[in-house]
Amino acid sequence: MFSQRCALVSAGMLLGCALTPGAGRADEPKPTPENTIHIQLAAPVPPQKFVKAPKFFISEVIDRSGNPQPMLVLRERGGVFLDRQPTEIAREAIEQSLKSAGLLAADAASADLVLQVYVFHFGLAQGSGLDFFGKVEFSVMVKNVKTEESQQIQAAGTSIANAAMRKKNIQKNVQANIEGALEDAVKNLVRGTQLKEAVASLMKDSPSAPPAASNGDMAVVIGDRQGQWQQGGGKR
């Protein structure tokens, strides 16, 4: 009799759980205007100087983080959300920095090198418990559109900010922390040694400008009405 009662109680509990599937997610944070932050660079990151400045074009920015909620950067205290996808924020930051130095092509057809960006981390990472640890991590495929050769490079950025107790201060610190990590990652990308070496390798076979004419004879043949002029400017 006792075992039958236990079985009935267990069945009732299972039925109750089945009829209320959202009960375990009652505290799941939801985005609102009050808990949403806007992430952007304070100013474009000046790229490095290249021997022969290429034109870059960003073809795709792909989320490879595996995060099912990439816009949720903090779950505690009602949550903190991004107002845009991390891929959109990353594209904007890299394009603005390239454009500031005249290195951004209008399209793939006019570009020397095409960039395919993979975002592996964007937001907060595990910290000490007393601070917010921001982390942004890219992997970028750099491809020469003419030779079809490509190289893969990495870039990451981190930033640490103190924790806070008040919700308003938490959001402020989280925003400043992620923006710092984003700036650091973009700086490591556009000013890093890996990009410099990739550009030098992929552009090594690109045609250079024709040599200037030496002093003396003209470098081209110009004909008169009878086609009598020859190189050097004299008549036959």
Side-chain angles (χ1 to χ4, degrees), residues 174-215:
V174 168
Q175 179 176 349
N177 203 22
I178 297 177
E179 286 180 339
L182 174 63
E183 180 180 1
D184 197 26
V186 174
K187 183 183 297 183
N188 288 333
L189 174 62
V190 301
R191 298 185 66 83
T193 302
Q194 291 188 48
L195 181 62
K196 182 178 182 179
E197 292 177 348
V199 169
S201 175
L202 295 172
M203 298 287 288
K204 65 181 183 298
D205 296 326
S206 297
S208 57
S214 60
N215 294 332

Side-chain angles (χ1 to χ4, degrees), residues 64-65 118-125 133-138:
R64 287 291 176 85
S65 66
Y118 301 93
V119 179
F120 282 92
H121 195 100
F122 194 102
L124 298 180
F133 178 44
K135 181 179 179 182
V136 173
E137 184 178 357
F138 302 139

Side-chain angles (χ1 to χ4, degrees), residues 47 53-56 95-105:
K55 288 286 188 178
F56 297 94
E95 286 184 341
Q96 286 181 346
S97 298
L98 294 174
K99 187 177 181 179
S100 70
L103 300 179
L104 183 65

Side-chain angles (χ1 to χ4, degrees), residues 34-51:
E34 289 72 28
N35 66 1
T36 301
I37 58 176
H38 181 75
I39 301 295
Q40 64 179 14
L41 292 180
V45 177
Q48 62 189 294
K49 303 292 184 180
F50 297 96
V51 175

